[in-house]
Amino acid sequence: MVGKAVTARAEVLARLRAALVDAPTPVDVPRHYRRVAESVDLVELFVDRLVDYRAVVHHGFDALPRLLAGVDRLAVPDDIPGHWLTGFAGQVRRDTPPLSPADLDGMDAVLTGCAVAVADTGTIVLDAGQAQGRRVLTLVPDRHICVVRTGQIVGLVPEAVARLDPRAPQTWISGPSATSDIELDRVEGVHGPRRLEVVLIPDDDVIAPGR
Amino acid sequence: MRIALFITCVNDLAYPQTGIAVTRILRRLGHTVEFPVAQTCCGQMHANTGYRAEAVPMVRGFADTFDGYDAVVAPSGSCTAMIRDQYPRLHPAAASVAGRTYELSELLVDVLGVTDVGAAFAQTVTYHPTCHSLRMLRLGDKPLTLLRHVRGIRLVELDDATECCGFGGTFALKNAAVSTAMLADKCARVRETGAAVLAAADNSCLAHIGGGLDRARSGVRAMHYAEILAMTGHYA
Amino acid sequence: MRHPATPAGVPSTGGGRIRAPLPFPTAARSAVADDQLRANLHRATRTIRGKRVRAVDEVPDWAALRDAGAAIKADVQRRLPELLERFEAAATAAGARVHWARDAAEACRIVVELTRAAGADEVVKVKSMATQEIELNEALAAAGIAAHETDLAELIVQLGDDTPSHILVPAIHYNRTQIRDIFRRRMADAPADLGAEPRELAEAARLHLRRRFLEAKVAVSGANFAVADTGTLVVVESEGNGRMCLTLPQTLISVVGVEKLVPSFADLEVFLQLLPRSSTGERMNPYTSMWTGVTPGDGPQDVHVVLVDNGRSAVLADPVGRSALSCIRCSACLNVCPVYGRAGGHAYGSVYPGPIGAILSPQLTGVADNASLPFASTLCGACADVCPVKIDIPEILVHLRQQAPHPVAERTAMRTLSWIMRSPRRWALALRVARRAAGPLGAWRHRRTGTRTLRRLPWPASAWTRSRDAPLPAPQTFREWWEKQ
Ligand code: SF4
């Protein structure tokens, strides 16, 4: 080691190897936790959890036009199914060319789908897949309307993890933005969308995008 | 069954009445108990304060002294936890005796299958589950089950019962300010119950809480629960 | 050059904000005297404890999840070098640049250089223990780079010129009025009539940070988990400030302790259940972000990961203590700790307070540099009961106490006592002597309870009698009673 410095990489790895000279015994990971939910009504559970964390839940396509009636400027991913916007009279901003953060800041709402939803925790997962778009779309607008097909709802976290591709950028959303930083009391609404609305649609919707 | 008493050093010196109580309870239930006089201390204070090397001779002494008994009973959750949890690591030969060492309520409820020891005590009592009896030995409500069968007793619940009293062995001296703050809260909870007696499974914790209660001249008496179980006809 | 002098392959202790400047008992003494602090802590920890219990009790397989979490982390420790290399390869293949840092100073230097290379003189930050540990904000400031904390509690602490006192809620020591006062004083764009309702305070923070988020070029984050197989990083948060930082800037630098790895993406299914329920007592935290290198056209296009040792190799080298590296920083152990609840986080003198701090800081620095911390516990075990990865904190505390330097008087006393107690004859004699010597002591007799106690003893026992009466040796020891029967 005369003159030339060992790289940090080599040094750190060498230290860690040296730290393990006692050759700890291999570990078997016991996986006796639930991998699949027992038979429960997933939709009912999902709704219960969403409401508990102050997300607003609507049932069926009919809810969409009503919801969108109050929206002037709506951001949407490029590949949003056309019929989701049926009857929408406001201005639709698609993400091509890419909307800037400032553009998005001027939107009233964003409408997307999702990749998978977890009933047990009331979680919606976006993975930039179909009808979801870039991460920034669902971040800057203050209101996020998310369409969830009932078939996208799984029971438990492990079921969701199994359905997801790690290489896709993911955002797991459970209720609107919140903080517990003041006296550990939960308050909804900080930097992320302050309103999260979920529209549940039946899985057999023929024109809904398939996965 | 050969039952040996491990009285613990603190009890031997300052709380002999607890050891006497254990002796009386077991004799009343028809058992013969022995007190091996070679016993000294389990070594917990040394081990937990950072003097394991100094504790090992005591561990060895314990193993030699209590070898050959079917059961060893100690009126202390904390010493029993030390023996069961740390002995096998400190002195592997002590593992077998450690497995046969029981806190009083374990011996009574689990080994002897007794929940009513025929005691009577007409007082209002609140029970503090000491940390090591609660979280290391997992005594659960064994001591309370025994107390519930005492005739005439009025058990009242202690708020925040599972919170540590702040004793912690040498912690009480090394971190006197925090220990005292914890003690103040524990004493306040005890006094709020209106109980005349505070019972627990460890005289070390009771020396601390009782010392605080005495300092405040609260009139609440700290007693090892074994002493209550030993009481019969005459209501104290 | 600082590093060539260190020979390769020797596990080394770390630097940064992990050394307690004052012994714990000294620092705790003034904290205990602060009634406001104790009231704030009491209130906050009570709230969170109740929430945690409810969130955990509704999970029927909680014990199995803890078993899995503990085992996955133990496995990671055993295979750490190999998994780090795997992580590096996967992250690099996905377009990230991976950097290595031996210690706090080196990690800071890397972040400063990367920020400069991005042409920025300010960064937005996601709450991260690792960057607090390495004192990154101070290093950035010294390099002329402004660091803006964006987590609400971190922002409060930063505006208050304070240091964090809790892993999850760094501003836990403040109540709402104190926070309002800090905002009014230090937040230029806060309304003059700002109220103390948490909702109003959160709104003020939202407005204060919004422009910063939209304009920031560089973000600095930590990571809750790093997946070895895929090179994925995970940040778990609530407010959305994390998403802002991880999505909007062009450059993202994540400072990650080497212990943060999990082997596979599927392992996240365990930790994404354990962490939120243990931490904020929620079924799931509002937002979790995961990213793997660069996603073209989506989020930062210049992505860096700084892998930091800073003492972790020294922790790993201790077969008993290494499980402290399993910690997922949920803070459940702080919230149930009766000592933390009285002394507060600052008394621990390190970014890692509470039970986990009492075992982690001394191992990161070497026990001699944090000698009082392993003793900052009654060994009540409440921490081990709640820890989602089953770290046996009391066992490690006792283990570290063996290595701590002992005061000479104490050592002499303990050795003498051991010498007496290892001999049944000497012990029996000592009991007789103690009993007799106690005879002349003036005892106080309590009328109502009939007990006799001592009210004042000389040093060192005065530490006892200052706040409690002391028991007196009995007139007859147990063994004397036994012999007389
Ligand atoms: S030690 Fe365990 S309980 Fe404490 S912060 Fe770490 S993971 Fe949570």
Side-chain angles (χ1 to χ4, degrees):
Chain A
M1 226 176 316
V2 198
K4 202 148 185 238
V6 186
T7 66
R9 180 183 189 279
E11 171 77 33
V12 171
L13 287 170
R15 285 177 183 177
L16 295 173
R17 289 208 173 88
L20 291 164
V21 281
D22 63 315
T25 43
V27 183
D28 264 334
V29 177
R31 297 194 188 260
H32 305 307
Y33 51 86
R34 294 173 302 160
R35 313 294 277 274
V36 181
E38 297 100 60
S39 56
V40 284
D41 185 336
L42 293 181
V43 175
E44 193 187 338
L45 184 63
F46 182 52
V47 170
D48 175 80
R49 301 307 204 219
L50 281 171
V51 171
D52 196 31
Y53 283 157
R54 310 270 159 79
V56 181
V57 183
H58 307 272
H59 294 268
F61 259 119
D62 302 349
L64 258 183
R66 252 191 297 119
L67 267 175
L68 295 175
V71 174
D72 281 338
R73 284 153 304 170
L74 180 70
V76 295
D78 287 342
D79 55 353
I80 191 139
H83 68 290
W84 287 11
L85 298 171
T86 309
F88 177 60
Q91 186 190 347
V92 175
R93 293 292 304 273
R94 286 178 197 272
D95 195 28
T96 318
L99 294 165
S100 71
D103 292 338
L104 286 165
D105 204 22
M107 296 288 141
D108 298 316
V110 57
L111 174 65
T112 70
C114 74
V116 61
V118 188
D120 188 45
T121 55
T123 303
I124 291 159
V125 185
L126 307 189
D127 69 354
Q130 184 143 33
Q132 297 160 55
R134 298 184 299 143
R135 282 173 283 173
V136 69
L137 288 188
T138 53
L139 174 60
V140 179
D142 204 17
R143 184 175 173 198
H144 180 192
I145 303 168
C146 185
V147 177
V148 178
R149 284 186 293 116
T150 50
Q152 291 180 309
I153 305 172
V154 298
L156 300 172
V157 171
E159 295 171 77
V161 169
R163 283 199 186 189
L164 290 160
D165 176 357
R167 283 159 308 181
Q170 292 171 28
T171 308
W172 292 48
I173 300 172
S174 309
S177 154
T179 182
S180 300
D181 279 356
I182 300 161
E183 299 176 4
L184 282 170
D185 236 352
R186 185 177 157 118
V187 179
E188 273 86 16
V190 198
H191 305 293
R194 285 181 287 190
R195 290 167 71 189
L196 174 66
E197 290 175 88
V198 174
V199 180
L200 286 170
I201 61 167
D203 207 35
D204 53 11
D205 173 52
V206 282
I207 31 181
R211 267 189 64 82
Chain B
M1 179 149 120
R2 287 188 71 201
I3 303 176
L5 296 171
F6 173 54
I7 285 309
T8 83
C9 59
V10 167
N11 289 331
D12 200 345
L13 176 65
Y15 302 96
Q17 67 274 22
T18 301
I20 296 169
V22 176
T23 312
R24 290 202 171 129
I25 297 164
L26 289 170
R27 283 183 180 158
R28 200 162 70 213
L29 294 170
H31 299 279
T32 309
V33 289
E34 295 175 45
F35 175 77
V37 288
Q39 63 182 273
T40 62
C41 163
C42 69
Q44 177 178 206
M45 182 175 75
H46 284 85
N48 283 355
T49 312
Y51 298 86
R52 256 185 200 155
E54 282 79 9
V56 171
M58 288 175 249
V59 178
R60 249 188 255 120
F62 184 96
D64 294 346
T65 306
F66 290 98
D67 188 38
Y69 290 97
D70 300 315
V72 182
V73 60
S76 162
S78 161
C79 301
T80 309
M82 160 73 187
I83 292 162
R84 206 177 294 159
D85 269 29
Q86 297 201 41
Y87 273 26
R89 252 177 295 144
L90 293 176
H91 181 53
S96 127
V97 67
R100 283 176 278 123
T101 302
Y102 304 95
E103 190 277 336
L104 176 64
S105 69
E106 292 177 313
L107 182 79
L108 291 172
V109 177
D110 295 345
V111 182
L112 304 176
V114 184
T115 50
D116 185 345
V117 298
F121 186 64
Q123 292 276 6
T124 311
V125 176
T126 194
Y127 178 76
H128 165 66
T130 58
C131 298
H132 290 176
S133 69
L134 183 74
R135 283 180 280 260
M136 290 177 79
L137 291 184
R138 308 271 169 203
L139 287 190
D141 62 355
K142 280 170 211 160
L144 272 172
T145 305
L146 291 162
L147 287 173
R148 272 188 211 112
H149 285 87
V150 172
R151 271 159 278 290
I153 199 169
R154 278 183 309 280
L155 278 170
V156 287
E157 206 164 308
L158 179 64
D159 261 358
D160 297 338
T162 58
E163 181 149 313
C164 177
C165 68
F167 169 62
T170 46
F171 177 87
L173 302 176
K174 285 175 184 276
N175 279 287
V178 179
S179 173
T180 301
M182 290 165 69
L183 172 64
D185 290 341
K186 184 57 77 181
C187 287
R189 297 297 87 75
V190 170
R191 295 184 75 170
E192 282 158 18
T193 64
V197 173
L198 166 72
D202 279 280
N203 275 328
S204 46
C205 306
L206 283 173
H208 168 76
I209 314 174
L213 290 167
D214 282 343
R215 176 59 51 92
R217 306 199 190 167
S218 66
V220 182
R221 182 168 164 203
M223 279 175 90
H224 194 287
Y225 78 89
E227 292 165 36
I228 297 175
L229 297 184
M231 301 274 185
T232 47
H234 75 288
Y235 284 179
Chain C
M1 279 260 152
R2 291 169 32 107
H3 293 293
T6 319
V10 179
S12 304
T13 55
R17 196 175 294 133
I18 48 177
R19 275 179 178 72
L22 290 175
F24 181 83
T26 312
R29 201 178 308 133
S30 40
V32 164
D34 184 341
D35 291 339
Q36 180 72 67
L37 172 68
R38 272 174 70 190
N40 294 353
L41 280 174
H42 182 82
R43 195 190 140 105
T45 53
R46 278 301 146 126
T47 311
I48 197 72
R49 273 196 235 177
K51 282 173 71 179
R52 191 202 71 89
V53 168
R54 284 191 295 279
V56 164
D57 281 356
E58 72 175 34
V59 182
D61 53 347
W62 186 252
L65 285 166
R66 286 178 85 203
D67 288 340
I72 292 168
K73 284 295 193 172
D75 180 45
V76 166
Q77 284 144 34
R78 204 183 63 84
R79 300 193 285 144
L80 197 49
E82 163 208 336
L83 292 176
L84 283 167
E85 285 173 318
R86 205 181 318 164
F87 172 83
E88 181 187 40
T92 308
R97 274 186 55 204
V98 176
H99 312 259
W100 300 71
R102 281 164 273 220
D103 54 27
E106 190 167 32
C108 288
R109 209 161 52 233
I110 293 168
V111 178
V112 166
E113 279 162 18
L114 291 172
T115 307
R116 284 195 179 135
D121 59 4
E122 57 177 11
V123 301
V124 285
K125 281 191 68 204
V126 189
K127 184 181 131 39
S128 127
M129 292 307 298
T131 60
Q132 286 284 358
E133 171 191 321
I134 63 172
E135 300 185 291
L136 179 63
N137 291 3
E138 291 77 357
L140 289 170
I145 299 165
H148 304 294
E149 293 291 352
T150 64
D151 168 80
L152 180 52
E154 287 283 11
L155 175 68
I156 296 163
V157 167
Q158 191 177 38
L159 290 174
D161 291 323
D162 201 350
T163 52
S165 70
H166 188 273
I167 293 177
L168 173 71
V169 192
I172 196 170
H173 52 294
Y174 292 125
N175 65 20
R176 56 185 75 188
T177 15
Q178 293 169 309
I179 294 168
R180 182 207 52 199
D181 294 346
I182 292 173
F183 278 14
R184 278 195 188 163
R185 213 166 49 237
R186 300 292 306 272
M187 193 187 269
D189 43 8
D193 60 346
L194 180 66
E197 273 309 304
R199 198 166 297 282
E200 274 182 80
L201 297 168
E203 173 70 13
R206 177 186 168 95
L207 294 172
H208 175 70
L209 289 170
R210 193 122 188 118
R211 164 125 303 124
R212 290 237 154 91
F213 284 135
L214 298 183
E215 289 168 0
K217 283 197 210 149
V218 177
V220 177
S221 82
N224 293 92
F225 307 101
V227 182
D229 279 353
T230 60
T232 306
L233 292 183
V234 183
V235 162
V236 171
E237 53 133 354
S238 293
E239 296 167 12
N241 64 307
R243 291 177 70 189
M244 291 279 182
C245 295
L246 301 171
T247 311
L248 294 175
Q250 184 65 16
T251 298
L252 171 60
I253 307 164
S254 303
V255 180
V256 182
V258 290
E259 82 284 15
K260 291 286 167 197
L261 287 184
V262 297
S264 73
F265 184 72
D267 291 321
L268 294 174
E269 70 191 18
V270 174
F271 297 105
L272 290 180
Q273 296 191 73
L274 289 174
L275 180 55
R277 293 184 193 262
S278 300
S279 183
T280 47
E282 293 166 310
R283 295 192 184 97
M284 189 62 90
N285 49 292
Y287 301 129
T288 297
S289 297
M290 305 187 195
W291 69 100
T292 307
V294 173
T295 306
D298 185 348
Q301 300 297 297
D302 180 28
V303 172
H304 300 267
V305 185
V306 185
L307 296 172
V308 184
D309 176 358
N310 199 41
R312 285 157 180 78
S313 52
V315 184
L316 188 68
D318 183 334
V320 178
R322 68 166 60 118
S323 65
L325 294 177
S326 300
C327 174
I328 56 173
R329 310 280 188 262
C330 73
S331 77
C333 60
L334 279 62
N335 298 331
V336 297
C337 177
V339 175
Y340 175 87
R342 305 310 188 291
H346 289 149
Y348 295 80
S350 155
V351 287
Y352 302 112
I356 181 62
I359 59 168
L360 189 57
S361 309
Q363 294 198 84
L364 288 171
T365 62
V367 179
D369 279 15
N370 269 313
S372 67
L373 288 181
F375 296 92
S377 165
T378 62
L379 307 179
C380 83
C383 48
D385 261 16
V386 296
C387 178
V389 287
K390 300 180 77 167
I391 302 173
D392 192 342
I393 296 175
E395 188 200 353
I396 300 178
L397 286 167
V398 169
H399 170 71
L400 295 175
R401 288 177 183 188
Q402 316 301 323
Q403 301 163 26
H406 298 305
V408 179
E410 180 192 285
R411 194 170 56 226
T412 310
M414 293 297 252
R415 290 210 172 134
T416 310
L417 199 57
S418 164
W419 179 78
I420 293 171
M421 286 176 150
R422 73 185 59 169
S423 145
R425 200 178 40 82
R426 288 195 289 265
W427 172 239
L429 179 67
L431 282 176
R432 267 201 307 281
V433 171
R435 197 248 299 142
R436 289 219 187 100
L441 285 177
W444 178 278
R445 202 184 135 76
H446 293 264
R447 237 179 334 111
R448 278 194 283 167
T449 59
T451 43
R452 290 165 70 238
T453 59
L454 292 169
R455 298 180 68 84
R456 192 171 300 161
L457 287 168
W459 186 90
S462 55
W464 180 277
T465 51
R466 205 168 299 131
S467 46
R468 3 164 159 60
D469 286 11
L472 210 59
Q476 172 177 264
T477 62
F478 179 81
R479 60 187 63 218
E480 285 166 341
W481 173 82
W482 183 270
E483 276 154 26
K484 276 199 200 130
Q485 288 182 82

